[in-house]
Amino acid sequence: MESSTVELYYQIVTGVSDHLEIMAAAFCLCLLCRGFFQEKKQIWITSFIYCVMMLLQYHLPVYMGGMNARIVAGAISFLYMVWSDYAKEGRRNIPVKAYLTCIFFTVEDLSSLISVEIYMLTSYHMDMVLFSAIQPESPEIWKAYLGVYCLNCFIKGIVKLLIMILFVVLLNKAFADKRGRYEWKEIGIILLPSLSGFIAHLVRRAFDDLLTESQMDLYGPYARLEMLISFHYIITLVIILALVFLSQNLRKKREEEKNRSLLQKQMQNIQSHISEIEHIYTGIRGIRHDLNNHIHVIGTLLEQKRYQDAENYLETMQGIVDTFEFAVKTGNPVTDIIINEKQREAEQKGIDFRSDFHYVQEGGLNVFDISVILNNALENAFEASCRSKDAYVSLYSERKKNVYLITVKNSYDGQLLMGTDDLPESMKDDRELHGFGLKNIRAVAEKYFGTFAIEQKEKEVVLTIMLIVESIRDF
């Protein structure tokens, strides 16, 4: 058979193998991006852009090289990720998008290099076996070599795909806080091994050029160096995975510390509420103690027909009594103070606040737990409603047998963005200092074997907390 025909067969096998590898890489990019975007459509479009750019460059008349093609495709995919994140969510988290781009480039590049090393090793040994089994003069030997080439391409593609899927899935799992806000220095530390991997690739290319120019035997005395380079690729991927895992653990510990700090602050608020209650009750006891004196003074003024002085005295007493009176009564002094404080805050901020909250006296509820729910829920509701034209907040509670429901509704002109933990993301610039309120509410609900749900209906946000009031889990 003519050499041109045989060469055509090899080109077809190579082309099919390369196209399949490009599509497999795009699929792995999909896996890596899971959870980092608000909509799944953004993930598919990112992978599609990467795949199309790689295929376009593959068919260019000027050969760009695998690494250069991946750099160009990755850069364009990065630009789309930044743009789509800004267009969909109204904010930009460029460091995370840079992490996705660089990590994917590193994983694909090193996986490709490892698969090439395995391909060269298997092809060398298969050629040696084939050379010893078939006579070189045989007219059908080209079919055997073509079959071996197809098998080696298949092995190379499978090895690369398996390595990529393994590390992409592990990286995706290790990077727990996918929707968090990150600083460049935090992402930069994670990406340091990627730079090492890139340098290793450049060293590998220089080594290949040296072997080609000097016509050294790849499987002779330099085979050990070849193995060390391949081992370095694997170590680089493992180090990247370890750094991502450690950074996420540190981030989780920082979040727990902030959560504990917030809980401590809330406990101090509750203690201040209790102190205020004690002050009120002390005042009430004082009024009762002096009641006989007040009656005697009023009686004397009436006997002397000093009616105006008696009326003024009564007004003074009424003012004192009013300071110890709540406009909203809930059935518990602690929740009375919380709701009435929120009522005064709403009046100051111009929020229409309505409450139909009633504390359940029986059922084993801890007033501290309820205060955590009320403080966090109403604080979030007030903050969100202030961003709407017609600001309003309503609070409602209801008991149905052993189920105690607390519902908070508030106006909100924006759009809730749900994170990976099924909680709305904080829209504040210092997000890391916020967002713990709903987590604390969820913790209290789980303590009482309950749950909570938050949803948005047009321009209204509804938070519902369900508690089981007859059984409490001990921590």
Side-chain angles (χ1 to χ4, degrees), residues 388-456:
S388 59
K389 295 181 180 179
D390 299 322
Y392 68 86
V393 175
S394 65
L395 172 65
Y396 171 78
S397 68
E398 179 184 12
R399 177 174 181 176
K400 296 180 178 179
K401 296 183 179 180
N402 65 331
V403 175
Y404 183 49
L405 294 175
I406 301 174
T407 304
V408 179
K409 298 180 180 180
N410 64 269
S411 57
Y412 183 52
D413 290 344
Q415 181 65 39
L416 286 182
L417 300 176
M418 305 303 292
T420 55
D421 53 0
D422 295 328
L423 296 177
E425 297 182 359
S426 174
M427 299 304 294
K428 297 180 180 179
D429 294 333
D430 51 348
R431 275 184 21 163
E432 292 188 359
L433 300 178
H434 301 275
F436 297 105
L438 290 176
K439 294 181 181 179
N440 291 334
I441 293 176
R442 179 165 62 184
V444 172
E446 291 175 351
K447 175 181 178 181
Y448 291 88
F449 298 94
T451 185
F452 86 107
I454 184 168
E455 59 180 340
Q456 184 173 8

Side-chain angles (χ1 to χ4, degrees), residues 128-160:
M128 295 301 297
V129 172
L130 187 62
F131 182 77
S132 62
I134 301 178
Q135 295 296 327
E137 297 81 9
S138 174
E140 302 296 325
I141 192 172
W142 69 271
K143 294 182 180 179
Y145 277 112
L146 182 61
V148 170
Y149 180 71
C150 291
L151 180 59
N152 287 328
C153 287
F154 175 77
I155 293 174
K156 179 171 74 73
I158 290 297
V159 169
K160 178 181 177 180

Side-chain angles (χ1 to χ4, degrees), residues 319-331:
I320 296 174
V321 172
D322 288 342
T323 60
F324 303 110
E325 185 68 20
F326 292 121
V328 180
K329 295 182 175 60
T330 65

Side-chain angles (χ1 to χ4, degrees), residues 271-417:
Q271 290 174 354
S272 67
H273 294 330
I274 294 174
S275 299
E276 187 172 346
I277 292 172
E278 292 176 349
H279 171 70
I280 292 172
Y281 282 174
T282 300
I284 293 174
R285 286 196 298 269
I287 292 176
R288 288 178 177 175
H289 179 268
D290 295 333
L291 188 59
N292 289 330
N293 294 330
H294 295 312
I295 293 174
H296 176 72
V297 170
I298 293 173
T300 302
L301 292 173
L302 292 175
E303 288 177 358
Q304 298 175 359
K305 298 183 179 180
R306 297 165 58 184
Y307 302 117
Q308 185 62 42
D309 291 339
E311 183 178 349
N312 293 337
Y313 192 86
L314 285 172
E315 289 179 356
T316 302
M317 288 188 60
Q318 184 63 47
I320 296 174
V321 172
D322 288 342
T323 60
F324 303 110
E325 185 68 20
F326 292 121
V328 180
K329 295 182 175 60
T330 65
N332 184 278
V334 174
T335 54
D336 281 351
I337 289 180
I338 294 175
I339 301 301
N340 282 274
E341 283 185 352
K342 292 299 179 181
Q343 181 72 55
R344 289 192 293 270
E345 180 183 347
E347 292 174 358
Q348 295 173 358
K349 294 182 177 180
I351 300 173
D352 181 13
F353 177 59
R354 300 179 182 181
S355 174
D356 189 17
F357 176 83
H358 301 282
Y359 182 79
V360 177
Q361 299 292 345
E362 69 282 354
L365 285 178
N366 188 325
V367 69
F368 172 76
D369 294 329
I370 301 302
S371 66
V372 169
I373 292 177
L374 293 178
N375 274 312
N376 285 295
L378 292 176
E379 181 179 352
N380 290 340
F382 278 27
E383 180 183 347
S385 64
C386 286
R387 301 180 182 181
S388 59
K389 295 181 180 179
D390 299 322
Y392 68 86
V393 175
S394 65
L395 172 65
Y396 171 78
S397 68
E398 179 184 12
R399 177 174 181 176
K400 296 180 178 179
K401 296 183 179 180
N402 65 331
V403 175
Y404 183 49
L405 294 175
I406 301 174
T407 304
V408 179
K409 298 180 180 180
N410 64 269
S411 57
Y412 183 52
D413 290 344
Q415 181 65 39
L416 286 182
L417 300 176

